[in-house]
Amino acid sequence: MLIHYILLVVGFVLLYYGAEWLVKGSSNFARSLGVTPLVIGLTVVAFGTSAPELVVSLVASIQNKSMIAVGNVVGSNICNIALVLGLAAFLMPITSNQSVVRRDIPLMLAISLFLLLISWNSTISRFEGVILFSGVILYTIYNYMISKKESALLAEGCFSDAEAELEDIGFIESRTKQITLIIVGIAGVVIGAQVLIDSAVIVMRQFGVGEKFIGLTIVAFGTSLPELATSVVAALRKEMDISIGNLIGSNVFNILSVIGAASMVRPIPIPGGFFESGLIIDYCMMLGVSILTWVMMRKSFTVSRTGGFILLCSYIGYLAYLIPNA
């Protein structure tokens, strides 16, 4: 059975580097075609960093592992706020601009509530998937318009958050290298998702746990690795706005694009029922840590070290609840 543990690690690694190569290759390719850095940052980079969650949930949906498909997104969103933001803030207090508190977090909460409402009947239908995926298109257009407006207000020589993030990726002139990175990145994410799901199911079932626990913990943590690495490094570099901006944006994309695309491929049933399966508690946890973050930031626009510690303790407490109920 050692091989399955090795494959689990291989799946994590392929997901992480696959997403990184996909973002790097596709952003450089778009840049070489004359697409502006702002547009690339809001589309290619945003979708690319959510590629692990997207592919994992699509594969799980196709394989009729619906609890992994949903659990991956809900668990990843909890992980992004409670673990990743908590750890980043514990290392370095995170201060962001007012728009995150007044616009982005409330929007994330509204979308999370909508997901709860459409899950109420224990099924996310294709039509509801279309609504969600349409939302990500509108969200991207909205962000583009807002960023264009904000960029116009910046002093000459400054960059928006999206453009600054793209500058960190670097530029590759060779078209061959760009295309190679895209192909290898897609292959890495797709193969990594398949390997991760298969090995995680085998390993976790040795301990007698179900798909919901697998999706909410192991798979969710694996697909959150890019956000974890990005946010911790950003916090250590004192680039706080990039750290929290990535996490909020990722959570919105996870719900709209990942659940949306997965349910369009195949309606997502919730085995045992939304309430009976206990998924309602996981949804409430996702909403709870998001509200907690908003409360922490609503006046000072900062998540302090104490706040980061509270978020980390929330995640540990959540794991303590999941394990006995697995």
Side-chain angles (χ1 to χ4, degrees):
M1 287 297 175
L2 178 62
I3 185 65
H4 296 301
Y5 289 92
I6 295 173
L7 287 174
L8 189 65
V9 175
V10 170
F12 284 150
V13 172
L14 285 173
L15 274 177
Y16 178 81
Y17 284 104
E20 187 173 295
W21 294 330
L22 176 59
V23 168
K24 194 164 190 174
S26 54
S27 60
N28 276 282
F29 182 70
R31 208 170 178 181
S32 67
L33 294 177
V35 181
T36 64
L38 177 63
V39 175
I40 297 169
L42 290 171
T43 54
V44 176
V45 174
F47 275 103
T49 52
S50 288
E53 287 91 347
L54 177 60
V55 178
V56 165
S57 287
L58 279 173
V59 171
S61 180
I62 292 169
Q63 293 182 349
N64 204 26
K65 294 183 172 71
S66 56
M67 289 302 272
I68 291 181
V70 176
N72 170 39
V73 170
V74 176
S76 181
N77 282 13
I78 294 170
C79 188
N80 282 347
I81 299 298
L83 175 62
V84 180
L85 179 59
L87 180 58
F90 186 69
L91 293 173
M92 179 67 62
I94 294 178
T95 301
S96 191
N97 56 49
Q98 297 180 18
S99 64
V100 171
V101 178
R102 295 175 178 173
R103 183 184 68 208
D104 298 331
I105 296 180
L107 181 61
M108 177 182 69
L109 285 169
I111 292 168
S112 299
L113 277 171
F114 180 70
L115 178 62
L116 188 150
L117 289 174
I118 63 175
S119 302
W120 204 268
N121 64 350
S122 303
T123 301
I124 303 174
S125 67
R126 279 196 173 95
F127 177 70
E128 289 163 341
V130 170
I131 294 174
L132 288 171
F133 203 80
S134 298
V136 82
I137 296 171
L138 293 174
Y139 177 70
T140 303
I141 294 171
Y142 170 74
N143 262 333
Y144 173 73
M145 294 173 65
I146 291 294
S147 296
K148 285 289 286 184
K149 184 178 179 180
E150 290 177 350
S151 294
L153 299 175
L154 292 175
E156 187 175 353
C158 292
F159 298 95
S160 69
D161 288 349
E163 290 171 313
E165 187 176 352
L166 192 60
E167 290 300 311
D168 288 339
I169 294 174
F171 183 64
I172 299 172
E173 293 186 9
S174 171
R175 184 66 60 83
T176 303
K177 287 184 179 179
Q178 293 169 1
I179 295 173
T180 300
L181 278 173
I182 293 171
I183 295 171
V184 173
I186 291 172
V189 172
V190 172
I191 296 171
Q194 184 71 63
V195 171
L196 176 62
I197 290 174
D198 291 343
S199 56
V201 169
I202 292 171
V203 169
M204 287 295 111
R205 280 184 176 166
Q206 292 177 32
F207 297 97
V209 301
E211 287 182 1
K212 183 167 83 89
F213 180 82
I214 297 169
L216 288 166
T217 55
I218 301 297
V219 176
F221 178 78
T223 55
S224 290
L225 282 176
E227 287 88 353
L228 177 61
T230 300
S231 296
V232 170
V233 170
L236 291 174
R237 290 178 179 175
K238 299 184 180 180
E239 296 171 344
M240 287 87 75
D241 54 339
I242 291 178
S243 179
I244 193 167
N246 276 353
L247 297 175
I248 301 300
S250 178
N251 279 14
V252 171
F253 268 87
N254 283 349
I255 294 173
L256 296 179
S257 63
V258 179
I259 293 290
S263 55
M264 283 195 297
V265 169
R266 173 180 288 180
I268 301 175
I270 299 174
F274 183 56
F275 293 94
E276 293 81 0
S277 67
L279 198 59
I280 178 66
I281 296 175
D282 306 304
Y283 273 55
C284 289
M285 178 65 184
M286 177 177 68
L287 283 164
V289 292
S290 300
I291 293 170
L292 181 60
T293 302
W294 179 80
V295 169
M296 290 175 181
M297 299 185 70
R298 75 186 192 282
K299 290 184 179 178
S300 63
F301 310 113
T302 299
V303 181
S304 64
R305 279 197 171 95
T306 302
F309 179 73
I310 292 171
L311 288 172
L312 283 173
C313 288
S314 299
Y315 190 71
I316 294 170
Y318 176 60
L319 291 180
Y321 153 75
L322 282 179
I323 293 171
N325 292 281

